[in-house]
Amino acid sequence: MREESLSVRRKIYRKICALGERFLPDKLYLEMLYQVRMGEKLDLKNPNNFDEKLQWLKLYDRKPEYTIMADKYEVRKYVEEKLGESYLIPLLGVWDSVDDIDFSMLPEQYVLKCTHDSGSVLICKEKNTFDIQSAKQKLEKTLRTNYFYPSREWPYKNIHPRIIAEKYMTDESHVELKDYKIYTFGGEPYLIQVDFGRFVEHKRNLYTTDWQYIDEEIEYPKDPSVQIEKPESLGEMLECSRKLAEGTVSLRTDFYSINDRIYFGEITFYQEAGFAHFSSEEFSRKLGKMIVLPQSKL
């Protein structure tokens, strides 16, 4: 009976969240959305696990610089100041509107993405077969969307929506770029998540900072049979992460390793928007303990 009641409640909350996405107070919205997405009550007074603490940070840890760090164009200046220009993937252009893009001037291969979201990546591998019209439609739709509202990820709220083009690059696979996503807590690297096979069958392996495999999962399945070699430049990558995360409570900094050279990917404040499903509650709580919330706001 309790499971049935929970199911009914989740359906009601899902409807309310859909209708009131732009109007409900942030705290109430997140409390309902958490039940919808996670099937549990959100405890903001005494948050314990990883997801709960990220929801708390969404509400109570809001700094103007987070908008810059989440903006895929503006963050380049931040990275250049902290690390240097050599860590940036070459920029091919930045535009306010799809109509401003002269596709004929772009190279044979390139990557398009919007500056204010996560997921609008469009990859052109062959210029003569790239569907420009479809790309324009997707980008136009993305530009009209404020990605703060669906999950209340505050850093996205005030980003100026633009489109950027970057150089297309691959790692040793010649197919994709493996993402080395470094979780930092209090500015210190703690966990490395490696995403691979994203365009075939998305997998995700976890490692300690000294490259010991962690037999756990966060949202996507692991594959221990895939032996991901420790990057030669791991120490440098960790130091870059440390510099970018300075002064933050919880942050994920993403990098690529190409021919033993490190390139910056992006900065993420809330893994899976704070709705990550873990293989075990114990692991979720272990990561949650690493997030030390500001006492002045508790």
Side-chain angles (χ1 to χ4, degrees):
M1 183 67 178
R2 197 174 79 174
E3 286 296 323
E4 184 179 336
S5 298
L6 177 60
S7 178
V8 171
R9 183 181 300 164
R10 289 172 76 179
K11 289 178 181 178
I12 294 172
Y13 284 175
R14 183 183 292 114
K15 187 70 172 178
I16 294 173
C17 287
L19 294 173
E21 183 179 274
R22 284 181 168 264
F23 310 109
L24 289 170
D26 294 345
K27 181 174 180 290
L28 176 61
Y29 179 83
L30 285 175
E31 287 173 335
M32 289 193 291
L33 188 62
Y34 195 83
Q35 285 221 13
V36 171
R37 297 283 298 274
M38 309 306 291
E40 299 174 358
K41 184 177 180 180
L42 175 60
D43 186 353
L44 290 170
K45 291 185 178 180
N46 185 34
N48 286 306
N49 67 30
F50 182 74
D51 289 320
E52 284 184 327
K53 287 195 174 181
L54 290 192
Q55 301 302 333
W56 191 97
L57 289 170
K58 285 184 190 179
L59 293 169
Y60 305 117
D61 182 38
R62 298 180 171 185
K63 298 178 181 178
E65 56 264 36
Y66 293 172
T67 298
I68 295 171
M69 295 164 74
D71 184 318
K72 290 178 176 58
Y73 177 67
E74 295 297 335
V75 73
R76 296 175 64 89
K77 300 172 188 176
Y78 179 77
V79 172
E80 187 174 351
E81 291 173 1
K82 291 281 188 175
L83 305 179
E85 187 179 4
S86 63
Y87 290 93
L88 294 169
I89 292 177
L91 183 71
L92 303 176
V94 55
W95 307 273
D96 288 320
S97 167
V98 170
D99 294 331
D100 295 336
I101 305 173
D102 185 348
F103 284 88
S104 67
M105 297 300 292
L106 291 172
E108 177 67 18
Q109 297 180 320
Y110 55 87
V111 176
L112 292 172
K113 62 180 74 170
C114 288
T115 59
H116 67 300
D117 79 323
S118 178
S120 65
V121 178
L122 295 167
I123 299 174
C124 173
K125 295 183 180 181
E126 294 181 0
K127 196 169 183 178
N128 63 339
T129 62
F130 186 64
D131 191 339
I132 292 177
Q133 192 57 39
S134 177
K136 283 184 173 182
Q137 289 175 356
K138 181 175 181 180
L139 292 170
E140 284 176 343
K141 181 179 179 181
T142 302
L143 287 175
R144 293 194 299 266
T145 304
N146 187 316
Y147 286 88
F148 159 72
Y149 291 102
S151 302
R152 294 298 200 272
E153 296 180 76
W154 184 81
Y156 292 126
K157 187 175 186 179
N158 298 312
I159 294 177
H160 172 49
R162 284 173 285 189
I163 305 160
I164 60 172
E166 292 179 335
K167 181 180 178 180
Y168 173 71
M169 306 176 79
T170 60
D171 56 23
E172 71 282 355
S173 71
H174 304 296
V175 175
E176 65 170 354
L177 281 174
K178 288 187 292 296
D179 264 336
Y180 296 88
K181 301 175 182 291
I182 303 175
Y183 291 57
T184 64
F185 303 117
E188 188 63 28
Y190 180 78
L191 171 76
I192 303 170
Q193 167 185 308
V194 185
D195 285 47
F196 55 97
R198 287 175 297 172
F199 304 111
V200 183
E201 188 178 358
H202 195 156
K203 299 287 183 65
R204 177 174 286 170
N205 285 355
L206 305 176
Y207 299 88
T208 63
T209 53
D210 58 356
W211 212 251
Q212 299 300 309
Y213 176 75
I214 300 172
D215 191 26
E216 296 281 358
E217 294 179 358
I218 302 176
E219 197 66 29
Y220 288 91
K222 63 193 174 187
D223 191 346
S225 69
V226 176
Q227 301 295 318
I228 299 175
E229 295 295 325
K230 173 183 175 181
E232 290 289 334
S233 53
L234 179 61
E236 182 184 359
M237 195 182 291
L238 292 173
E239 183 57 28
C240 287
S241 178
R242 192 175 284 112
K243 289 178 179 178
L244 293 179
E246 183 180 3
T248 63
V249 177
S250 174
L251 196 71
R252 201 193 76 205
T253 54
D254 299 359
F255 300 92
Y256 306 113
S257 179
I258 305 172
N259 297 323
D260 297 328
R261 182 174 170 182
I262 297 170
Y263 289 92
F264 169 78
E266 67 178 21
I267 283 175
T268 299
F269 284 88
Y270 318 107
Q271 175 78 21
E272 310 298 341
F275 302 109
H277 293 88
F278 285 74
S279 51
S280 70
E281 179 61 22
E282 180 183 358
F283 187 51
S284 176
R285 288 183 180 275
K286 182 178 180 180
L287 287 191
K289 287 182 180 178
M290 299 303 301
I291 300 176
V292 181
L293 300 177
Q295 292 296 313
S296 61
K297 296 181 181 179
L298 287 172

